[in-house]
Amino acid sequence: EIVMTQSPATLSVSPGERATLSCGASQSLSTNLAWYQQKPGQAPRLLIYGASTRATGIPARFSGSGSGTEFTLTISSLQSEDFAVYHCQQYNTWPWTFGQGTKVEIK
Amino acid sequence: EVQLVESGGGLVQPGGSLRLSCAASGFLFDSYWMHWVRQAPGQGLVWISRIRSDGGSTSYADSVKGRFTISRDNAKETVYLQMNSLRAEDTAVYFCARDPSPYFDILTGYYDQWGQGTLVTVSS
């Protein structure tokens, strides 16, 4: 199965700053990659699919890029509600697999 | 408003069984593939099982194959996960999730709606 590797494990960022999260795949995914946000005790929330398409209702400060094996989620100006864990997920090759997550915490 | 509400979690001894339920509302339930995804404490998300909109196709992760059974009742708009021969490593929050493709036999691959999860703890 495809192994997804997220880095860093924890990212400390001040409100208003930019956050850049990375996700790497052990095999090429084309652009079959999604990003989710998860807050403590809550369900994951779809942010991005197709590597770069924002899901319905997702603010424009969230953007995704990449293809093949390297992907990036950028949060242009962190708001208080953005501090959470972010997961990437590949859906190019069955079984779909997730990364271990990146925690974005307040610096 | 789309809602997915899981129930049925709890504490069970190793070797025991539980049945999880996920009640759906706010969308045409019988048009969508549904999945179960779990998250062990402090760990990442792991896909467990999926079922086609008509219930005619199912699939399982190797870690649960032969022990877990997914099913659905479209009249009750509910998807189930029967978990038998539970092990300590099955301890996790179990989420149901929807694939957004409304087309029969076509999976989009990602999950646009999730339930809030139900905790399963396997311990003696």
Side-chain angles (χ1 to χ4, degrees):
Chain A
E1 68 180 39
I2 293 179
V3 176
M4 304 299 293
T5 303
Q6 291 187 245
S7 62
T10 303
L11 185 62
S12 298
V13 186
S14 299
E17 289 188 341
R18 173 187 292 256
T20 302
L21 289 67
S22 296
C23 176
S26 60
Q27 299 175 37
S28 179
L29 308 179
S30 183
T31 56
N32 296 312
L33 183 105
W35 289 94
Y36 302 87
Q37 176 193 69
Q38 187 179 25
K39 297 179 181 178
Q42 296 188 17
R45 173 193 181 197
L46 177 66
L47 297 176
I48 300 283
Y49 61 92
S52 61
T53 302
R54 277 189 302 276
T56 303
I58 301 304
R61 64 181 182 272
F62 291 91
S63 63
S65 64
S67 65
T69 61
E70 297 296 326
F71 300 86
T72 301
L73 175 69
T74 301
I75 311 171
S76 60
S77 176
L78 271 160
Q79 307 297 302
S80 57
E81 62 267 30
D82 300 336
F83 292 96
V85 175
Y86 291 83
H87 306 273
C88 63
Q89 178 229 336
Q90 69 82 18
Y91 53 96
N92 188 73
T93 303
W94 196 257
W96 314 148
T97 50
F98 294 84
Q100 286 298 303
T102 290
K103 180 180 181 181
V104 177
E105 64 177 24
I106 300 174
K107 187 175 182 179
Chain B
E1 180 194 5
V2 172
Q3 280 198 314
L4 297 172
V5 180
E6 299 94 336
S7 60
L11 175 64
V12 61
Q13 292 188 339
S17 298
L18 275 178
R19 188 176 83 154
L20 307 183
S21 300
C22 169
S25 60
F27 65 100
L28 293 175
F29 179 74
D30 61 6
S31 293
Y32 291 85
W33 289 77
M34 297 297 295
H35 300 248
W36 287 97
V37 176
R38 72 183 181 186
Q39 186 173 35
Q43 302 298 309
L45 298 161
V46 177
W47 171 81
I48 292 300
S49 185
R50 70 180 187 194
I51 187 166
R52 197 171 63 190
S53 56
D54 67 343
S57 174
T58 60
S59 183
Y60 301 91
D62 287 346
S63 59
V64 305
K65 197 174 295 183
R67 300 188 298 123
F68 290 13
T69 302
I70 190 171
S71 62
R72 64 192 295 160
D73 184 333
N74 285 345
K76 295 183 178 179
E77 297 185 312
T78 301
V79 60
Y80 304 98
L81 187 68
Q82 177 67 44
M83 305 187 296
N84 298 332
S85 303
L86 282 161
R87 307 167 180 167
E89 54 265 35
D90 295 318
T91 294
V93 175
Y94 285 72
F95 297 98
C96 64
R98 186 184 81 167
D99 183 294
S101 171
Y103 302 111
F104 187 80
D105 246 0
I106 296 176
L107 281 163
T108 300
Y110 51 90
Y111 310 105
D112 70 333
Q113 300 291 339
W114 297 69
Q116 85 290 349
T118 187
L119 176 62
V120 172
T121 303
V122 184
S123 175
S124 54

